[in-house]
Amino acid sequence: MPQDRTTTLRDRAAFSTYATAVQGLARLVYSVLIGHFGSRELLGQTNSALSLSVLTSQLWAAPAGGAGTKFVALREALGDEEGAKVVARHITTRTALLSLVLPAVVAVSGAVWLDFGPAQVVGTVVVAVAYSLYTTLRGVTYGHLRFRQVALWDTIAGATALVAVTVVLVLDLTALTLLPLALGYAVFVVACRPARAKGRVEPQLRREIDHFVLFGAVSGLASGGLLQLSQIAAHWSGGSSAAGDFAAALTLATPTSMLSFALSTVLIPPLVAAAGREDWASVRTQEDAIMRRLVAIFVGLFGTLVIASPLIIDVIWGEEYRAAGAVLPILLVAVMLTSIALGATTAMMVTRSWGPRLVAGLNVSGLVVSVVLWPWLSDRFGIVGVAVGYLLGAGTASVAAVVVVWRAEKQAWLGLAARLVGGTALFVGLAALVRVPEGGARLAAEIGAVLLFAGVWLALSRRDVLALWATVRGGAPADAS
């Protein structure tokens, strides 16, 4: 499929956002189908196995996808199409070879720690292989600027997985609930496999790619891996039923976070371009614009979801998953912080030579905080304690990343920080208040609180929201006001 060279920044943002939304929605519907037509236990087992599979991808496949986006795009930008194909083939082949080894570790871990049966172990291995290849090829395809292709095949892959899991559930083949998801990923892999290419990647570039992937793996394992570990920790501490309740909340919290990666396709390229030409004044301006717009969109979005979380749980999951209602707001706040910090972590990684090492160190610190606190918190508060542990770990790394950029670039973010803290306090307070009434009064209170918060936050962040909309709509530079 030819590159989308004629598409504008706005078109690429639209395709990226759409593909991300489809991917998240498919995962959500997949879990809802299993939770409603299977059981809490089956949902817990399936999502814990999936978390192990995704965790495996963080060891190589996910950062390799990031490397594909960066290094393939660099060759494309230079007009070296054959060189781009060689890089794409090199990255994909390395991932394929490693995907034959790492899933074995996942299966053993699942069998020992979570008491998986044989079918669950096999399913975990198959999903791990398919998801690893999918993650890498998605990044490589973005590097080729094929945004339409990703959007198309994400749609087809998601639809394939949903149709297949419906058949599995109707036939009561619960041992096979992981395979439809693997099938969907396999469809994407076959459709987006890299073209044949002659030549080899030169040693210097190979070392540069490996260096990028290494620090990306450490950082990703400690950040994105932390989220997957929280599901595994919930399973380990409370069994399949508790893991099902935690999974019900997690599947609602994570799709929204994917929006941050979609927005990055709009906001980050001007920052990268400024760093490439060593225009540090523009870099500082871009960082400021990105941070203000991420705060504006994500505090408003996640604040609304936190207030409405009881209603969301009732509508999507029902009474059986009421325990998830206590977990969802905590996970939403954690995901909000990591989404806001994405601008700071990306800025460090693409503009400073020390950035990847520092980001990896901060994420590892957050991981250590969560792992140390989980045994104590989960023993006293169950899956709510697991969620709090994740919030503390992810929050530590996220806040630290923002503070580093704030200090290093001498940004004027004191007012922005006050707005972030004030907005968070407002929606947390409103969320606590709407839980007091019962029945119809609670529904009215939730709707009223959502409207109140949305109005107040929009008034406070109107300029940044309008600037973000202008950037997405017209492909304007991120520092345009």
Side-chain angles (χ1 to χ4, degrees):
M1 184 174 289
Q3 293 92 334
D4 297 345
R5 294 188 183 279
T6 60
T7 58
T8 64
L9 183 61
R10 177 183 61 184
D11 294 331
R12 293 174 187 175
F15 284 124
S16 176
T17 302
Y18 169 79
T20 300
V22 166
Q23 182 190 35
L25 182 62
R27 286 275 298 274
L28 173 60
V29 175
Y30 196 95
S31 295
V32 170
L33 289 172
I34 292 174
H36 281 293
F37 296 100
S39 63
R40 289 167 60 214
E41 291 77 9
L42 181 61
L43 176 64
Q45 292 169 358
T46 301
N47 275 51
S48 295
L50 182 58
S51 290
L52 282 168
S53 302
V54 175
L55 190 62
T56 302
S57 75
Q58 299 291 340
L59 297 174
W60 181 270
T69 300
K70 176 181 177 179
F71 292 101
V72 174
L74 285 174
R75 291 300 176 99
E76 291 282 0
L78 296 173
D80 184 6
E81 293 189 19
E82 188 62 31
K85 291 179 182 178
V86 171
V87 173
R89 193 80 177 179
H90 167 77
I91 292 174
T92 305
T93 301
R94 295 278 293 273
T95 298
L97 293 174
L98 286 169
S99 294
L100 298 177
V101 178
L102 294 178
V105 178
V106 175
V108 171
S109 300
V112 173
W113 294 339
L114 304 180
D115 196 27
F116 283 177
Q120 204 74 8
V121 172
V122 172
T124 303
V125 171
V126 174
V127 172
V129 172
Y131 185 78
S132 291
L133 290 171
Y134 163 80
T135 302
T136 297
L137 278 172
R138 200 170 189 266
V140 168
T141 307
Y142 273 137
H144 281 301
L145 307 181
R146 295 168 183 165
F147 288 78
R148 286 192 183 95
Q149 184 178 5
V150 172
L152 172 64
W153 287 103
D154 261 343
T155 302
I156 295 174
T160 300
L162 293 178
V163 170
V165 77
T166 300
V167 173
V168 166
L169 292 171
V170 168
L171 298 178
D172 197 27
L173 302 174
T174 55
L176 305 179
T177 51
L178 284 169
L179 297 186
L181 199 59
L183 176 62
Y185 293 137
V187 167
F188 186 100
V189 168
V190 172
C192 298
R193 64 191 183 279
R196 293 184 179 276
K198 297 179 180 179
R200 297 169 59 87
V201 174
E202 54 270 24
Q204 181 178 353
L205 179 58
R206 188 182 302 119
R207 285 193 296 271
E208 190 176 352
I209 292 173
D210 289 344
H211 184 269
F212 182 95
V213 173
L214 173 62
F215 284 110
V218 174
S219 180
L221 186 63
S223 56
L226 178 58
L227 184 62
Q228 307 306 325
L229 281 174
S230 68
Q231 173 67 49
I232 297 169
H235 195 137
W236 177 76
S237 66
S240 297
S241 296
D245 292 328
F246 194 89
L250 192 64
T251 54
L252 294 176
T254 51
T256 312
S257 69
M258 295 179 182
L259 180 60
S260 61
F261 295 98
L263 286 176
S264 69
T265 64
V266 182
L267 300 177
I268 298 302
L271 175 66
V272 176
R277 61 178 183 268
E278 298 186 352
D279 182 356
W280 302 116
S282 181
V283 166
R284 185 173 181 274
T285 301
Q286 300 288 346
E287 289 171 345
D288 180 67
I290 291 170
M291 183 57 61
R292 291 183 183 279
R293 291 166 198 186
L294 291 180
V295 169
I297 191 67
F298 286 120
V299 173
L301 176 61
F302 283 98
T304 300
L305 293 175
V306 167
I307 296 170
S309 57
L311 176 61
I312 295 172
I313 290 292
D314 288 342
V315 170
I316 296 180
W317 290 108
E319 183 68 27
E320 183 181 1
Y321 293 89
R322 179 60 62 88
V327 175
L328 180 57
I330 302 170
L331 294 180
L332 286 170
V333 174
V335 174
M336 179 192 76
L337 293 176
T338 58
S339 298
I340 291 173
L342 179 66
T345 55
T346 304
M348 282 190 285
M349 292 187 70
V350 303
T351 65
R352 296 290 186 268
S353 60
W354 45 261
R357 292 190 297 273
L358 181 59
V359 170
L362 292 177
N363 287 333
V364 169
S365 298
L367 175 65
V368 170
V369 169
S370 292
V371 170
V372 168
L373 291 177
W374 269 334
W376 183 82
L377 289 171
S378 63
D379 184 56
R380 287 158 178 78
F381 306 106
I383 58 174
V384 173
V386 174
V388 171
Y390 171 65
L391 170 60
L392 294 174
T396 297
S398 300
V399 172
V402 173
V403 170
V404 167
V405 174
W406 183 356
R407 301 291 296 175
E409 302 294 345
K410 297 181 173 59
Q411 296 284 2
W413 285 348
L414 186 60
L416 181 64
R419 196 192 329 159
L420 169 60
V421 173
T424 303
L426 177 60
F427 73 67
V428 169
L430 289 172
L433 289 175
V434 300
R435 280 157 177 73
V436 176
E438 297 292 338
R442 169 178 285 192
L443 177 60
E446 288 175 356
I447 295 174
V450 165
L451 294 175
L452 174 61
F453 172 73
V456 170
W457 186 251
L458 184 60
L460 292 173
S461 307
R462 179 175 176 273
R463 181 179 178 182
D464 294 322
V465 171
L466 291 177
L468 175 61
W469 172 245
T471 302
V472 173
R473 184 185 59 192
D479 56 349
S481 298

